[in-house]
């Protein structure tokens, strides 16, 4: 990470050094994009916030190359149990599959993970972090955005002007793109004129974080107690979090009343007076989504674009999804490999899913915080009855109710017509491979799986993304995808930096390595677990175009590689 200088031109200005801004800066740094990350505060936030980390986010952390420094601050397989007022389990989330290479749910300590993200920027001389820099103005032209930053010391809230008695200065930075990741009070969102659609329920919650966990049980308990809904969470490094809903007649400053807080904790620990408290804070849930994520070269992401209620633990994770979707598109634009309209696909792909996660989180909150005892009794009875049905129990246990991202508009190729920009959810073509398939759900617009695989030069199995590399990949089952592209398209794929992968059963790997021409942009992947074969067996496709964010852009039969790639270039607005 470069020291701050007076440089006034940069590819990307990121506003806000929270987890989303830090993630975006790391990804862009890895793609070779120059970045100035401006943060109004004097340092990173050091108090606990998010506590739930999804496998999708872990995959992004893998792409950032930061698994090892982050892993010590996480607990895998974080089981969530919803219990009623008597402590009876109504339902539990305990997903056991690992489709993307990691446990589905993790507990984590956000300040320590954020710090690992921040320290990861030291790897990039072309990434600079500037603290005590508050965005106060934007002016956009055809090819640049000029940002005015107020420079000066301020308190850790970071949302107000400089501290009294100081003399702030201003700094102007010209950037090709500006991304606002500065949270719910985002200046950037207000500059866009975006409407923050949704609601902020009136209920308030008191958060209590303590060290030396006095309970010590792992996992998460969501207490659907009509007397007082609560949350109890076991976290890494012996941290315990409680959240208690405040009644309307209880003031927000009750968090400062030791007797009141001890009363809330009495049913949970033998001696609440001896707890080592990290913080006590009152907050209100918000469920809002901006009606646009972008105007011209100015974009918003994370809490600046959507505010998530805490119930599904999706605030942190949705923000990382934004950064992962956006980073490769900005990198493509800075390389001159697409037109500016590519940014329209960020809004099209991310906003709908963000809204779905907000809606689910609000629904979960309403389920848990029900205070009408009669309604709660019906809820408990119905939940218990449904939980006795194995299929329904599995539906909740494996979290199949959680809406996974499926993009239907964007950098996609329709699996039936091969038309660019859209993708049907079903494959309905009049071909025998389709007609004989048991599953015709299209993989286009969803994430590709990530099992462990065998690759020459590695002593043991590695994760698939590490074999494919950080950029585009064309992966074919049992085939060299280079042989299915027209010569001019093969050249274009190489101009775009795509990597070619031949996936074969492990028994076939020596043959494929000898049969196909070796190259730096080609890899033979041995499917020693059979997971990739099962994926291809289950779908009437044999060749996939995998985006840098690991979503499938196109999925076809091998013979259709060239027409699919032409459509993909159209969807990408390629200018090569």
């Amino acid at each position: 990470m470069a020291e701050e200088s007076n440089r006034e031109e940069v590819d990307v200005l990121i506003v806000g050094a929270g987890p989303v801004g830090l993630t975006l800066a790391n990804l862009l740094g890895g793609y070779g994009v120059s970045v100035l990350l401006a943060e109004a505060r004097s340092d990173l936030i050091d108090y606990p916030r998010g506590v739930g980390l999804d496998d999708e986010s872990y995959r992004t952390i893998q792409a950032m190359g930061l698994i090892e420094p982050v892993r010590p601050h996480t607990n895998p397989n974080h089981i969530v149990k919803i219990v009623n007022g008597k402590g009876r389990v109504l339902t539990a989330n305990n997903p056991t599959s690992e489709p993307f290479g990691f446990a589905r749910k993790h507990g984590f300590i956000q300040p320590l993970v954020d710090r690992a993200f921040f320290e990861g920027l030291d790897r990039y001389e072309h990434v600079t972090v500037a603290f005590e820099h508050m965005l106060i103005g934007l002016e956009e032209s055809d090819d640049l955005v000029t940002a005015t930053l107020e420079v000066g010391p301020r308190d850790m809230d970071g949302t107000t002007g400089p501290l009294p008695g100081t003399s702030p200065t201003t700094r102007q930075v010209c950037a090709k793109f500006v991304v606002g990741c500065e949270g719910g009070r985002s200046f950037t969102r207000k500059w866009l004129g975006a409407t923050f659609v949704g609601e902020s329920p009136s209920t308030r919650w008191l958060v209590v974080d303590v060290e030396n966990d006095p309970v010590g049980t792992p996992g998460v308990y969501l207490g659907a107690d009509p007397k007082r809904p609560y949350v109890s969470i076991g976290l890494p490094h012996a941290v315990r979090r409680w959240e208690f809903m405040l009644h309307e007649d209880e003031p927000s400053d009750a968090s400062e009343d030791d007797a009141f807080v001890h009363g809330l904790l009495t049913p949970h620990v033998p001696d609440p007076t001896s707890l080592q408290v990290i913080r006590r804070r009152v907050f209100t849930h918000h469920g809002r989504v901006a009606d646009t994520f972008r105007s011209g070269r100015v974009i918003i992401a994370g809490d600046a674009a959507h505010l998530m209620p805490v119930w599904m633990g999706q605030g942190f994770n949705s923000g990382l999804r934004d950064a992962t979707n956006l980073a490769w598109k900005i990198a493509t634009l800075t390389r001159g490999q697409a037109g500016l309209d590519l940014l329209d696909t960020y809004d099209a792909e991310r906003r709908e899913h963000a809204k779905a996660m907000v809606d689910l989180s609000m629904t979960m909150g309403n389920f848990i915080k029900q205070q009408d005892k009669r309604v709660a009794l019906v809820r408990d009875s119905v939940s218990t009855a449904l939980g006795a049905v194995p299929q329904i129990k599995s539906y909740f246990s494996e979290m199949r109710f959680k809406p996974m991202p499926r993009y239907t508009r964007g950098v996609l190729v329709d699996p039936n017509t091969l038309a660019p920009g859209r993708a049907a959810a079903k494959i309905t073509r009049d071909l025998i491979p389709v007609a004989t398939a048991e599953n015709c759900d299209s993989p286009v617009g969803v994430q590709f799986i990530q099992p462990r695989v065998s690759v020459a030069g590695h002593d043991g199995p590695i994760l698939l993304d590490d074999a494919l590399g950080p950029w585009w990949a064309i992966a074919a089952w049992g085939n060299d995808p280079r042989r299915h592209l027209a010569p001019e398209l093969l050249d274009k794929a190489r101009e775009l930096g795509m990597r070619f992968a031949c996936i074969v059963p492990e028994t076939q790997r020596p043959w494929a390595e000898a049969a196909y021409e070796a190259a730096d942009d080609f890899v033979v992947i041995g499917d020693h677990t059979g997971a990739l074969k099962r994926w291809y067996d289950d779908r009437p496709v044999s060749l996939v175009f995998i985006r840098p964010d690991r979503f499938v852009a196109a999925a076809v039969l091998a013979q259709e590689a060239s027409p699919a790639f032409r459509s993909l270039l159209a969807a990408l607005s390629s200018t090569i």
Side-chain angles (χ1 to χ4, degrees):
M1 179 174 62
E3 295 293 329
E4 185 193 344
S5 69
N6 292 322
R7 183 182 61 187
E8 303 300 329
E9 292 187 3
V10 71
D11 288 334
V12 182
L13 169 65
I14 301 173
V15 186
V20 181
L22 291 166
T23 297
L24 185 59
N26 272 283
L27 292 172
L28 290 174
Y31 293 147
V33 178
S34 64
V35 174
L36 173 63
L37 175 56
E39 169 56 53
R41 296 177 175 86
S42 59
D43 200 351
L44 302 181
I45 294 176
D46 63 354
Y47 55 78
R49 290 166 291 153
V51 293
L53 180 65
D54 286 358
D55 53 346
E56 298 168 73
S57 294
Y58 232 110
R59 194 174 191 179
T60 292
I61 295 168
Q62 176 194 359
M64 294 158 62
L66 295 177
I67 287 291
E68 293 310 313
V70 166
R71 193 191 304 274
H73 310 305
T74 66
N75 283 343
N77 301 305
H78 219 208
I79 299 174
V80 178
K81 296 180 180 179
I82 301 178
V83 299
N84 66 8
K86 297 180 180 180
R88 180 186 303 154
V89 176
L90 301 178
T91 187
N93 304 145
N94 182 23
T96 56
S97 62
E98 297 186 3
F100 302 136
F102 304 98
R104 296 284 301 280
K105 295 181 70 66
H106 304 252
F108 79 116
I109 304 296
Q110 185 175 337
L112 296 177
V113 170
D114 285 359
R115 182 64 60 179
F117 289 3
F118 173 69
E119 292 174 354
L121 297 176
D122 284 335
R123 299 170 291 176
Y124 306 117
E125 292 185 355
H126 50 282
V127 176
T128 303
V129 180
F131 287 105
E132 297 180 346
H133 278 58
M134 175 181 280
L135 179 65
I136 60 173
L138 290 171
E139 185 175 344
E140 184 177 13
S141 61
D142 290 341
D143 56 357
L144 285 173
V145 182
T146 300
T148 301
L149 300 165
E150 186 176 71
V151 183
R154 49 180 43 84
D155 62 29
M156 277 303 293
D157 178 68
T159 59
T160 58
L163 292 175
T166 62
S167 301
T169 60
T170 59
R171 176 181 177 185
Q172 287 194 324
V173 176
C174 295
K176 294 176 183 176
F177 303 97
V178 172
V179 185
C181 306
E182 68 269 61
R185 301 177 182 177
S186 168
F187 173 93
T188 313
R189 184 187 66 248
K190 295 171 184 175
W191 182 88
L192 288 177
T195 302
F196 224 13
V197 180
E199 59 181 301
S200 297
S202 60
T203 50
R204 294 159 299 132
W205 293 76
L206 170 61
V207 175
V208 182
D209 291 319
V210 303
E211 297 179 310
N212 297 323
D213 186 352
V215 177
T217 57
V220 180
Y221 293 88
L222 303 182
D225 185 347
K227 295 179 181 178
R228 187 184 298 274
Y230 68 89
V231 179
S232 178
I233 308 173
L235 293 170
H237 306 319
V239 173
R240 167 71 52 173
R241 167 171 292 185
W242 283 280
E243 299 178 13
F244 299 99
M245 195 176 87
L246 296 178
H247 299 311
E248 292 185 3
D249 60 344
E250 294 171 336
S252 293
D253 60 8
S255 62
E256 302 172 12
D257 183 340
D258 289 346
F260 177 78
V261 175
H262 293 163
L264 297 179
L265 290 166
T266 294
H268 296 266
V269 292
D271 181 12
T273 65
S274 64
L275 298 179
Q276 296 175 273
V277 177
I278 300 171
R279 73 157 181 169
R280 303 189 306 205
R281 184 179 181 184
V282 174
F283 71 97
T284 301
H285 294 167
H286 300 276
R288 297 184 179 276
V289 181
D291 61 356
T292 182
F293 287 6
R294 172 242 175 180
S295 176
R297 296 176 176 270
V298 180
I299 311 142
I300 53 176
D303 284 356
H306 41 73
L307 290 174
M308 300 273 170
V310 301
W311 299 110
M312 294 297 296
Q314 288 303 304
F316 180 96
N317 295 289
S318 291
L320 263 62
R321 291 187 193 101
D322 292 346
T324 309
N325 184 288
L326 186 58
W328 71 268
K329 295 175 181 178
I330 289 178
T332 299
L333 290 167
T334 60
R335 297 175 185 185
Q337 294 178 336
L340 191 61
D341 288 349
L342 177 62
L343 289 180
D344 288 338
T345 68
Y346 166 65
D347 187 285
E349 292 178 352
R350 284 298 310 134
R351 188 150 52 89
E352 184 176 341
H353 183 258
K355 184 179 184 305
M357 291 310 307
V358 166
D359 291 345
L360 178 61
S361 296
M362 295 291 284
T363 299
M364 178 68 77
N366 291 334
F367 180 88
I368 292 168
K369 66 184 185 181
Q370 178 57 246
Q371 293 182 278
D372 186 313
K373 294 182 180 180
R374 291 170 298 179
V375 175
L377 179 61
V378 173
R379 174 202 63 196
D380 296 353
S381 300
V382 172
S383 298
T384 301
L386 291 176
V389 181
Q391 295 89 338
I392 296 177
K393 182 178 180 180
S394 175
Y395 176 78
F396 285 99
S397 177
E398 293 297 323
M399 289 181 61
R400 291 198 295 272
F401 59 89
K402 175 186 171 185
M404 297 298 292
R406 170 180 279 280
Y407 302 146
T408 58
R409 296 180 297 127
V411 185
L412 309 167
V413 175
D414 188 85
N416 300 307
T417 65
L418 300 189
R422 292 183 177 272
K426 292 285 186 180
I427 304 175
T428 58
R429 304 175 63 194
D430 188 19
L431 288 170
I432 288 178
V434 177
T436 56
E438 294 184 8
N439 177 14
C440 286
D441 292 339
S442 172
V444 178
V446 299
Q447 280 197 62
F448 198 65
I449 61 170
Q450 187 186 202
R452 293 191 174 270
V453 296
S454 300
V455 178
H458 293 270
D459 293 336
I462 64 174
L463 287 167
L464 177 63
D465 290 356
D466 294 333
L468 295 179
W471 201 238
W472 282 89
I474 306 176
W477 175 260
N479 239 319
D480 180 350
R482 297 173 298 182
R483 297 191 173 191
H484 293 281
L485 288 176
E488 72 277 7
L489 292 177
L490 183 59
D491 291 341
K492 187 153 291 192
R494 285 175 168 149
E495 288 179 51
L496 284 168
M498 290 184 165
R499 187 167 175 81
F500 307 94
C502 170
I503 303 174
V504 292
E506 180 62 16
T507 57
Q508 292 289 297
R509 185 158 65 91
W511 165 81
E513 290 171 347
Y516 296 130
E517 179 184 358
D520 290 340
D521 60 1
F522 174 72
V523 61
V524 174
I525 293 175
D527 178 32
H528 75 283
T529 68
L532 287 165
K533 181 178 183 295
R534 287 191 293 274
W535 190 94
Y536 282 99
D537 270 337
D538 199 35
R539 296 160 179 83
V541 299
S542 61
L543 186 146
V544 293
F545 292 79
I546 303 173
R547 306 183 339 179
D549 59 4
R550 302 317 181 196
F551 280 75
V552 176
V556 292
L557 299 174
Q559 194 180 58
E560 299 170 309
S562 287
F565 188 30
R566 290 190 181 94
S567 289
L568 178 56
L569 291 173
L572 194 60
S573 303
S574 175
T575 58
I576 295 179

